[in-house]
């Protein structure tokens, strides 16, 4: 019988196709839920809810059920607006707000009797509360990822910004074979709430990104590609499992209607270093030189005379 060989890429695609869509659907995406009522407190069924991404203009629509409740799932973290409307009632709109990784935001609507063409914008809305989850976690947003100094462009250093997380390392976890980082840079494999620092689990865009032997990440995400990440310090929800420590959930950036990008060069040289005190007199400084460079680009998919992906398709 003739044997058959498959490339790793074919095997990966086959695996992803075979995985039911709902298994990891809620790990890296956000959800908006709420109830639509009138001024007397009665629920309003069949109200139209429209959620719109500010940066891509992509819309998600749903209607409230018989109990006035609605739910919109699988939303990429980012900025959104949402409005509710129903014939015989004024339309109410919530201005731009931010959804973070794995957040479940509750937004209720109170519609007044009137013309549907009248739009009322809710100013000074209350903070979005997540009352459906019991796990505790901290989101490290885009500004923090981009602006805070990192030795070696390794995002794991930012994990220690979370309460209950310490940078306790073991010699096994700092082995360069399993922690691919810039030469000589800092490595942080966090200990979460007193658990072993080999009891963490890493996800990238809801896909497990785990180095099985050392329980660190398998593929290091490029800093410029990270939108935000969340470390769940008490993974008590049923959607998490496998470990007793923290869940590190990384979300990469999505393209928008505007082209954007970056170029960078992480440069180190002995001219920036002080001379070590115990070096032999004949050695001025420890020789060292490193350049780690790259770039990123994102925007709408655009093929001249063939396809314009504005408001539809992004990279």
């Amino acid at each position: 019988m003739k044997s058959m060989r498959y490339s790793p890429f074919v095997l990966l695609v086959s695996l992803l196709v075979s995985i039911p869509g709902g298994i990891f659907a809620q790990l890296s995406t956000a959800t908006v839920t709420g109830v639509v009522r009138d001024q007397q407190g009665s629920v309003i069924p069949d109200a139209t809810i429209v959620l719109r991404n500010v940066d891509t203009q992509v819309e998600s629509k749903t209607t409230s059920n018989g109990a006035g409740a609605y739910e919109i799932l699988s939303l990429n973290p980012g900025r959104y607006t949402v409005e509710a409307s129903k014939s015989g009632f004024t339309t109410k709109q919530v201005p731009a707000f931010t959804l973070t990784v794995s957040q479940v935001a509750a937004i209720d609507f109170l519609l007044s009797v009137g013309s549907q063409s009248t739009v009322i914008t809710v100013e000074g809305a209350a903070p979005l509360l997540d009352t459906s989850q019991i796990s505790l976690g901290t989101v490290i947003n885009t500004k923090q990822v981009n602006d805070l100094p990192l030795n070696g462009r390794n995002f794991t250093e930012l994990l220690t910004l979370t309460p209950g997380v310490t940078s306790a390392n073991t010699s096994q976890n700092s082995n360069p074979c399993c922690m691919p980082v810039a030469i000589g840079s800092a490595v942080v494999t966090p200990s979460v709430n007193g658990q072993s620092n080999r009891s963490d689990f890493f996800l990238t865009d809801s896909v497990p990104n785990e180095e099985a032997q050392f329980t660190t990440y398998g593929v290091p995400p490029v800093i410029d590609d990270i939108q935000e990440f969340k470390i769940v310090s008490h993974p008590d929800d049923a959607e998490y499992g496998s470990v007793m420590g923290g869940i590190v959930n990384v979300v990469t950036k999505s393209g928008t209607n505007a082209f954007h990008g970056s170029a960078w060069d992480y440069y180190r040289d002995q001219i920036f270093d002080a001379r070590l005190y115990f070096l032999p007199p004949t050695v001025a400084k420890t020789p060292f030189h490193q350049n780690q460079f790259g770039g990123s680009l994102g925007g709408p998919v655009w093929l001249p005379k063939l396809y314009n992906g504005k408001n539809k398709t992004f990279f």
Side-chain angles (χ1 to χ4, degrees), residues 172-181:
Q172 297 99 323
N173 288 102
S174 60
N175 190 326
C177 75
C178 58
M179 287 294 288
V181 294

Side-chain angles (χ1 to χ4, degrees), residues 150-153 182-186 264-268 288 290-294:
L150 292 175
N151 181 10
R153 294 174 58 81
I183 298 173
S185 66
W264 48 270
D265 182 10
Y266 175 77
Y267 174 69
R268 292 185 63 188
F288 189 87
Q290 179 185 7
N291 276 280
Q292 183 186 14
F293 55 88

Side-chain angles (χ1 to χ4, degrees), residues 82-148:
V82 63
E83 65 179 34
S85 61
K86 177 69 183 288
S87 178
F89 294 87
T90 58
T91 298
K92 185 159 291 188
Q93 183 181 74
V94 176
F97 58 92
T98 300
L99 292 178
T100 59
V101 53
S102 73
Q103 181 182 10
V104 180
I107 302 179
D108 296 331
F109 287 94
L110 188 64
L111 303 186
S112 305
V113 176
S115 172
Q116 189 175 359
S117 61
T118 303
V119 179
I120 299 176
T121 302
V122 181
E123 299 291 349
L128 303 181
L129 300 179
D130 186 348
T131 59
S132 63
Q133 300 185 94
I134 60 174
S135 59
L136 300 177
T138 301
V139 174
I140 308 299
N141 59 36
T142 305
K143 181 174 176 60
Q144 292 170 299
V145 173
N146 290 341
D147 294 351
L148 291 177

